[in-house]
Amino acid sequence: MELCKISGNTYYIPGPTNTGVFLFKDKYTLLLDTGDSNQYGRRICELLHQQGLMIKYVVNTHEHPDHCGGNLYIRENHPGSQFYSSPEAALFIKNDFLAPLYLYGGLPPDELARHFTRAKKLRVDETLPVGPAKIHEERFDILTLGGHAYGQIGVGTRDRVCFLGDALFSPEIIAKYSFPFLFSIGSQIQTLDTIAGMEYEFYVLGHADRVYDHQELHSVLQANRAALDKYLNLVLELLYQPKTREELLEEVVILDALQLDLKEYYYLLSTLGAMLAYLGQQSLVEYQIEDGRLYYYRE
């Protein structure tokens, strides 16, 4: 684990989930996302302490456990630290039972719930509205980047660096996990358009092994659009014959030779649900209930 400078006072810590770091003049820091666990949070703290830096603020781009899993360790070992998120993400961060509820559609089995619920609850001290925000006398841009998660935000710094959370996935991630989780297809399309119009110099993705400059980001956007279009078109193609959502998932899994555990099954089932809702809003898909089964078909 290392602290890598991007530009000016803006740094990041590469890892399974990249952590942004903004360094204030008095050696306090603002973190953007904290990894997936107490252990990861501890490693972040140790790295910054070795550099003579102190943690004061944490902003979570969204509520998924791999982006806020280190919050508890930081809170307990830096009791004066302040935690921020969007109002929507705060709802899920403070109430960790909600994520498996919406994935499962009811009280989930323990095997699914344990991926999300924690022994100790996380807190959010303040929510950040979209627009300019002042933290520790520094200005940050808070950007709406919904789609992958409800209320996901991006954060821009004065050094022209933008942290995108999971609004985009790297081409390598798309090649390995071709069917990424999406909460809202319409919001994701809006987010892709929003990012295309940004003018930051550097961009940090939640899961990527490098920082992208403005010109390089174009190919990343194209890869994300292509992956989304691929599955929307595949769903439409498969629905020339009526299918339930579970039957549709089965065909997608077989066609792409996907290997799923229980959590991944419900992530993909939820994403398919979002796609069917979006295609229904576009008047491309209809549904019918027959013999106790809900079938979708192409209009």
Side-chain angles (χ1 to χ4, degrees):
M1 185 176 276
E2 61 179 329
L3 182 64
C4 301
K5 184 169 183 174
I6 303 173
S7 178
N9 286 39
T10 306
Y11 298 72
Y12 86 115
I13 302 171
T17 298
N18 293 320
T19 296
V21 180
F22 186 86
L23 175 59
F24 299 103
K25 294 179 181 178
D26 56 7
K27 301 296 183 179
Y28 280 114
T29 60
L30 178 147
L31 303 184
L32 292 144
D33 294 330
T34 61
D36 64 354
S37 63
N38 281 334
Q39 181 181 7
Y40 200 86
R42 174 181 59 78
R43 293 176 63 198
I44 291 172
C45 293
E46 290 174 350
L47 174 65
L48 295 180
H49 291 167
Q50 291 169 5
Q51 305 289 329
L53 305 177
M54 299 169 286
I55 299 172
K56 181 67 175 178
Y57 307 97
V58 173
V59 177
N60 293 123
T61 59
H62 60 292
E63 66 271 16
H64 292 167
D66 58 332
H67 288 257
C68 60
N71 286 20
L72 183 60
Y73 181 90
I74 293 170
R75 186 191 80 190
E76 292 186 337
N77 290 273
H78 296 79
S81 52
Q82 299 289 305
F83 293 82
Y84 299 83
S85 76
S86 71
E88 298 85 356
L91 179 67
F92 287 88
I93 292 172
K94 294 189 292 185
N95 301 282
D96 56 14
F97 64 91
L98 290 176
L101 280 183
Y102 83 69
L103 282 176
Y104 188 69
L107 187 66
D110 292 342
E111 186 179 350
L112 179 61
R114 65 180 172 83
H115 291 286
F116 302 91
T117 54
R118 309 170 184 88
K120 295 183 179 180
K121 301 303 178 185
L122 302 182
R123 79 177 191 217
V124 175
D125 299 298
E126 189 173 337
T127 59
L128 296 169
V130 173
K134 182 175 283 189
I135 301 175
H136 208 72
E137 300 305 315
E138 282 281 355
R139 174 184 164 135
F140 298 89
D141 301 324
I142 308 302
L143 312 160
T144 298
L145 298 177
H148 173 71
Y150 183 53
Q152 178 175 243
I153 56 173
V155 179
T157 77
R158 62 176 169 84
D159 300 313
R160 299 186 65 200
V161 179
C162 187
F163 294 88
L164 295 174
D166 286 349
L168 290 180
F169 294 97
S170 70
E172 294 77 16
I173 292 291
I174 292 174
K176 187 175 181 180
Y177 306 104
S178 58
F179 199 165
F181 172 73
L182 292 173
F183 179 83
S184 168
I185 305 305
S187 294
Q188 180 66 10
I189 291 171
Q190 291 176 0
T191 286
L192 296 178
D193 291 341
T194 295
I195 295 173
M198 288 181 178
E199 296 184 352
Y200 293 94
E201 188 173 352
F202 300 103
Y203 299 85
V204 182
L205 281 59
H207 307 285
D209 59 6
R210 54 172 295 192
V211 174
Y212 292 89
D213 66 27
H214 183 75
Q215 184 174 357
E216 294 168 332
L217 195 72
H218 178 69
S219 63
V220 181
L221 270 167
Q222 284 187 318
N224 280 260
R225 288 188 190 274
L228 179 55
D229 289 344
K230 168 189 171 181
Y231 281 102
L232 287 173
N233 290 330
L234 177 59
V235 168
L236 285 173
E237 182 180 339
L238 292 174
L239 289 182
Y240 274 118
Q241 295 294 325
K243 291 179 178 65
T244 67
R245 182 160 44 147
E246 289 77 8
E247 290 170 340
L248 189 58
L249 177 57
E250 179 185 7
E251 295 211 20
V252 170
V253 167
I254 292 172
L255 285 171
D256 274 10
L258 303 176
Q259 300 295 319
L260 307 180
D261 59 21
L262 185 68
K263 179 181 70 171
E264 291 162 344
Y265 178 89
Y266 279 104
Y267 269 137
L268 296 193
L269 190 66
S270 179
T271 301
L272 272 178
M275 289 183 172
L276 290 168
Y278 172 76
L279 293 171
Q281 292 162 1
Q282 305 303 308
S283 300
L284 295 172
V285 166
E286 294 284 350
Y287 71 87
Q288 182 174 335
I289 299 173
E290 184 176 325
D291 297 329
R293 290 189 176 188
L294 176 59
Y295 290 94
Y296 296 91
Y297 57 93
R298 187 164 180 172
E299 181 66 87

